[in-house]
Amino acid sequence: MTHEIAVIPGDGIGQEVTPAAVEVLEAIETVDFEFVEGDAGDAVKAETGEALPQETRDIAADADATLFGAAGETAADVILPLREVVGSFANVRPARSYPGLDAVQPDTDIVFIRENTEGVYTGIESEITEGVRTLTRVITEEASRDIAEYGFDYAKRNGYEDVTIAHKANVMRQTDGLFLETAEAVAEERSVPRTDERASGEAASSGLTYDTALMDALAMHLVMTPEEYDVIVCPNLAGDMLSDLSAGLVGGLGLLPSANVGEDNALFEPVHGSAPDIAGEGVANPSAMILSAAMLLEHLGYDEEGEHVRTAVESVLESGPRTPDLGGDAGTTDVTDAVVDEL
Amino acid sequence: MTHEIAVIPGDGIGQEVTPAAVEVLEAIETVDFEFVEGDAGDAVKAETGEALPQETRDIAADADATLFGAAGETAADVILPLREVVGSFANVRPARSYPGLDAVQPDTDIVFIRENTEGVYTGIESEITEGVRTLTRVITEEASRDIAEYGFDYAKRNGYEDVTIAHKANVMRQTDGLFLETAEAVAEERSVPRTDERASGEAASSGLTYDTALMDALAMHLVMTPEEYDVIVCPNLAGDMLSDLSAGLVGGLGLLPSANVGEDNALFEPVHGSAPDIAGEGVANPSAMILSAAMLLEHLGYDEEGEHVRTAVESVLESGPRTPDLGGDAGTTDVTDAVVDEL
Ligand SMILES: CC(C)[C@H](C(=O)O)[C@@H](O)C(=O)O
Ligand SMILES: CC(C)[C@H](C(=O)O)[C@@H](O)C(=O)O
């Protein structure tokens, strides 16, 4: 069986790290891929007037999965519609520190499960009168249920012990109230007890526990004691900010992969952007992109192959060539070759 | 001249740290205070049904300034209306690390200037249909201008070099677009150049520069390189989250004071909450509350006295008794007495 993968390198270092991920996927002998390339981003907008041409949308819609690099100024015009094209409701963002790398908090292993369709990302904005503008933040029970179910299932499937539901229901009482209440109902349906009930000795019918956290306090706790968190389910913008915060804890965006997961399609992208300051120099760190390809493998059911790729990246991060962002002087291809050699 | 100060201890450790701050203010011989106490929080709600009785509102409205401790479950019901009562448009939150204290990032000295009236804090929420709720996020030119002017003036007055304007205008195009555009117009009116223009040698007519930052990327950079930031002007919820994040960098909420500043009234409060887990034990760290009193002194024009209090707290933090949150075993009164002795 051949898997059709849409490949959208985009702008800047997207052009450098995306081929690295493709090279790694091609090196996996047990899986057959067909890669179909599409354009998106600043460069294609300058040429055609459109940051995300219809052709690229179609390629992503028809593929089994998409690999996306990064876009520059047009990032939002590219990634937000692409997430819609693949029907993504969950943005999965693991933030892990790696042995041997300099990290603000070397004991971090957190997976953010970010709601990916609503919140303040609705685009519903108005100018009510001059100088007065509004944005309609939308929270639905359906999307809240989808993301919470995904989060609890993800935690269980991947052997995590605890789920934290992030919210600001003390201020956004109706909207985050609904988010929180729905997520807690999902916990109850799955018989997942609260962390403190577990701690006080109450029996748990699954190995999991859950807790809730105000997103502001959570930002502080993540900085001080990230080792206390496993899986964090959060509304859209909170997930955007808290996952970037956690990228800071583990040594920067160059290490964070992500998956935009839909019912029967998905898009994989590094959390980093197009990094115009280093684009074209061949020194971009391909780790986040290659780890995104590992997530793609797992998504297609190749758990073992995904694990191999991740282990290869980890071993290169620990003792292989390093790009300048990690204090080394290796190039993108040195790192990529080292990962392929490890496979 | 006697200054009337409303004192609202609230719940939990608010009852312990607020008297500490009053004691410090009473020890300032050059300034006369009259303290008028008001109730607020969970306890008064349990008794009267109201978390913020009208009498307490009146006390705060009539005073020259208010000291507020903390509230428990009812925190939002207390602090949001109190901010309105004093007409606060700017929430000023310094996050500083202190010599000799364990901090994730010991080189942090940032002041958040958080918009304090709108954004997602409007309370305008609806249930559109079952399971679909909305919140109206409001951004006005007026409030954006007020906070940006306050931020630039604050930076200049306090000798800071750089102002960062936080936003998410790539997603919240109209609303944060207005926030960003207004703040940049304020920079231009004050002839404050962009940081990179300054760096490239362009003459600056003031000592200040400014930059803009996406709030997600900023969360990452704050974790990794907080020393690169001085004053950060931000929308309401972003300011809430980023300042708590930075509390994590400097060793926790026990150290962060804040001011809610209005045209002709103001309220001072620690960033921490009522900490029910340690309430009543006499071990709450009073530093954030005493530093809030220092901000109150400066607000009333007693810059020198404010500076004295701050220096006294710093010296106690460096080599005086420490409460358990800082690894010591001193109590609230030990720390308070040590600060008073230093004055
Ligand atoms: C580019 C932007 C629209 C996007 C987002 O906010 O989701 C980015 O920050 C991300 O996290 O992928
Ligand atoms: C209690 C809550 C309403 C408040 C806020 O969100 O402003 C608190 O988090 C703060 O930062 O003072």
Side-chain angles (χ1 to χ4, degrees):
Chain A
M1 180 180 172
T2 300
H3 299 281
E4 196 177 303
I5 308 296
V7 177
I8 310 175
D11 298 315
I13 63 167
Q15 291 286 342
E16 299 161 53
V17 297
T18 312
V22 170
E23 199 182 321
V24 170
L25 288 178
E26 279 175 332
I28 310 279
E29 280 163 16
T30 47
V31 192
D32 274 340
F33 291 110
E34 192 192 322
F35 297 101
V36 189
E37 210 168 305
D39 288 329
D42 297 358
V44 67
K45 183 173 180 183
E47 262 175 57
T48 67
E50 276 195 299
L52 186 65
Q54 186 59 44
E55 201 193 325
T56 307
R57 287 174 199 251
D58 294 343
I59 291 174
D62 295 343
D64 296 316
T66 295
L67 271 182
F68 170 62
E73 292 296 316
T74 54
D77 302 311
V78 173
I79 190 60
L80 299 183
L82 272 180
R83 287 176 184 157
E84 267 187 68
V85 165
V86 301
S88 160
F89 63 89
N91 190 331
V92 181
R93 301 187 157 192
R96 231 172 246 136
S97 38
Y98 295 97
L101 282 188
D102 212 26
V104 174
Q105 290 288 16
D107 200 11
T108 305
D109 179 0
I110 300 171
V111 182
F112 291 91
I113 308 290
R114 167 186 175 191
E115 200 289 316
N116 215 9
T117 67
E118 53 184 33
V120 295
Y121 281 71
T122 56
I124 312 174
E125 294 187 285
S126 321
E127 177 162 51
I128 302 300
T129 181
E130 218 199 301
V132 179
R133 298 192 189 165
T134 60
L135 178 149
T136 303
R137 179 178 196 261
V138 175
I139 298 287
T140 64
E141 189 182 342
E142 195 185 343
S144 303
R145 169 166 287 279
D146 285 348
I147 198 69
E149 290 182 345
Y150 191 88
F152 280 103
D153 293 346
Y154 182 97
K156 195 156 188 187
R157 193 166 65 245
N158 292 279
Y160 284 100
E161 284 174 11
D162 198 49
V163 173
T164 303
I165 302 161
H167 68 94
K168 185 86 187 176
N170 59 340
V171 169
M172 302 190 276
R173 295 180 186 210
Q174 294 288 322
T175 49
D176 270 16
L178 179 59
F179 184 83
L180 177 61
E181 174 184 299
T182 307
E184 293 206 74
V186 169
E188 194 165 327
E189 284 158 25
R190 282 163 168 60
S191 305
V192 177
R194 285 191 74 105
T195 312
D196 48 0
E197 286 163 9
R198 173 64 167 279
S200 70
E202 204 170 291
S205 67
S206 87
L208 264 185
T209 60
Y210 87 96
D211 216 337
T212 67
L214 287 165
M215 51 180 75
D216 49 336
L218 182 57
M220 178 184 81
H221 290 300
L222 283 173
V223 170
M224 297 183 76
T225 52
E227 67 281 4
E228 290 180 4
Y229 295 90
D230 286 347
V231 170
I232 300 181
V233 172
C234 31
N236 211 339
L237 183 61
D240 183 45
M241 293 180 71
L242 296 174
S243 61
D244 268 32
L245 177 168
S246 302
L249 296 175
V250 305
L253 289 173
L255 300 173
L256 265 66
S258 77
N260 296 274
V261 179
E263 276 307 330
D264 34 46
N265 201 342
L267 178 148
F268 301 84
E269 51 165 341
V271 174
H272 65 67
S274 65
D277 49 322
I278 59 160
E281 293 176 18
V283 297
N285 185 348
S287 304
M289 189 78 216
I290 298 174
L291 290 169
S292 301
M295 293 181 88
L296 180 149
L297 283 164
E298 284 166 356
H299 175 78
L300 294 177
Y302 301 104
D303 284 357
E304 211 178 302
E305 287 82 355
E307 186 64 33
H308 279 164
V309 171
R310 198 193 341 277
T311 314
V313 172
E314 278 171 22
S315 133
V316 172
L317 282 174
E318 189 166 353
S319 54
R322 288 186 185 171
T323 43
D325 58 311
L326 300 179
D329 57 6
T332 309
T333 51
D334 302 322
V335 176
T336 311
D337 292 347
V339 171
V340 171
D341 283 350
E342 287 279 338
L343 285 175
Chain B
M1 181 180 172
T2 301
H3 300 282
E4 196 176 304
I5 308 297
V7 177
I8 309 175
D11 297 316
I13 64 167
Q15 291 286 343
E16 299 162 52
V17 297
T18 312
V22 169
E23 198 183 319
V24 169
L25 288 177
E26 278 176 332
I28 310 279
E29 281 164 16
T30 47
V31 192
D32 275 341
F33 292 110
E34 192 191 320
F35 298 100
V36 189
E37 210 169 305
D39 288 330
D42 297 358
V44 66
K45 183 171 180 187
E47 262 174 58
T48 68
E50 276 194 301
L52 186 64
Q54 186 58 45
E55 201 194 324
T56 306
R57 287 174 200 251
D58 294 343
I59 290 174
D62 294 344
D64 296 315
T66 295
L67 272 182
F68 170 61
E73 292 296 316
T74 55
D77 302 310
V78 172
I79 190 60
L80 300 181
L82 272 180
R83 286 175 185 158
E84 268 189 67
V85 165
V86 302
S88 160
F89 62 90
N91 191 332
V92 181
R93 299 187 158 194
R96 233 171 246 137
S97 38
Y98 295 97
L101 283 190
D102 212 26
V104 174
Q105 289 288 16
D107 202 11
T108 305
D109 179 0
I110 300 172
V111 182
F112 290 90
I113 308 289
R114 167 186 176 191
E115 201 287 316
N116 214 9
T117 68
E118 54 186 31
V120 295
Y121 281 72
T122 56
I124 312 174
E125 295 188 284
S126 320
E127 177 161 52
I128 303 300
T129 180
E130 219 200 300
V132 179
R133 298 193 189 166
T134 60
L135 179 149
T136 303
R137 180 179 196 259
V138 175
I139 298 286
T140 64
E141 188 181 344
E142 195 185 345
S144 303
R145 169 166 286 278
D146 286 347
I147 199 69
E149 290 184 344
Y150 191 88
F152 280 102
D153 293 347
Y154 182 97
K156 194 155 190 191
R157 192 166 67 244
N158 291 280
Y160 284 100
E161 284 174 11
D162 199 49
V163 172
T164 303
I165 302 161
H167 68 93
K168 185 87 188 176
N170 58 341
V171 169
M172 302 190 277
R173 295 180 186 209
Q174 295 287 323
T175 49
D176 271 15
L178 179 60
F179 184 83
L180 178 60
E181 174 184 298
T182 306
E184 293 206 76
V186 169
E188 194 165 325
E189 284 159 24
R190 282 164 169 61
S191 306
V192 177
R194 283 190 75 104
T195 312
D196 49 0
E197 286 163 6
R198 172 64 167 278
S200 70
E202 202 172 291
S205 66
S206 88
L208 264 186
T209 60
Y210 87 96
D211 216 336
T212 66
L214 288 166
M215 52 181 75
D216 49 336
L218 182 57
M220 179 186 78
H221 290 299
L222 283 173
V223 170
M224 297 183 76
T225 53
E227 67 281 3
E228 290 180 5
Y229 296 89
D230 286 346
V231 170
I232 301 182
V233 172
C234 30
N236 210 342
L237 183 61
D240 183 45
M241 292 180 71
L242 296 174
S243 61
D244 267 33
L245 177 167
S246 303
L249 297 175
V250 305
L253 288 172
L255 300 172
L256 265 69
S258 78
N260 296 273
V261 179
E263 277 307 330
D264 35 45
N265 201 342
L267 178 147
F268 302 84
E269 51 164 342
V271 175
H272 64 68
S274 65
D277 49 324
I278 59 160
E281 294 176 17
V283 297
N285 184 347
S287 303
M289 189 79 217
I290 298 174
L291 290 168
S292 301
M295 294 181 87
L296 179 149
L297 284 165
E298 283 166 357
H299 175 77
L300 294 176
Y302 301 104
D303 285 358
E304 210 177 302
E305 286 82 355
E307 185 64 32
H308 279 164
V309 172
R310 198 189 344 274
T311 316
V313 172
E314 278 171 22
S315 131
V316 172
L317 281 173
E318 189 165 353
S319 54
R322 288 183 185 172
T323 44
D325 57 311
L326 302 178
D329 58 7
T332 309
T333 52
D334 302 322
V335 176
T336 311
D337 292 346
V339 171
V340 171
D341 283 350
E342 286 281 336
L343 285 175

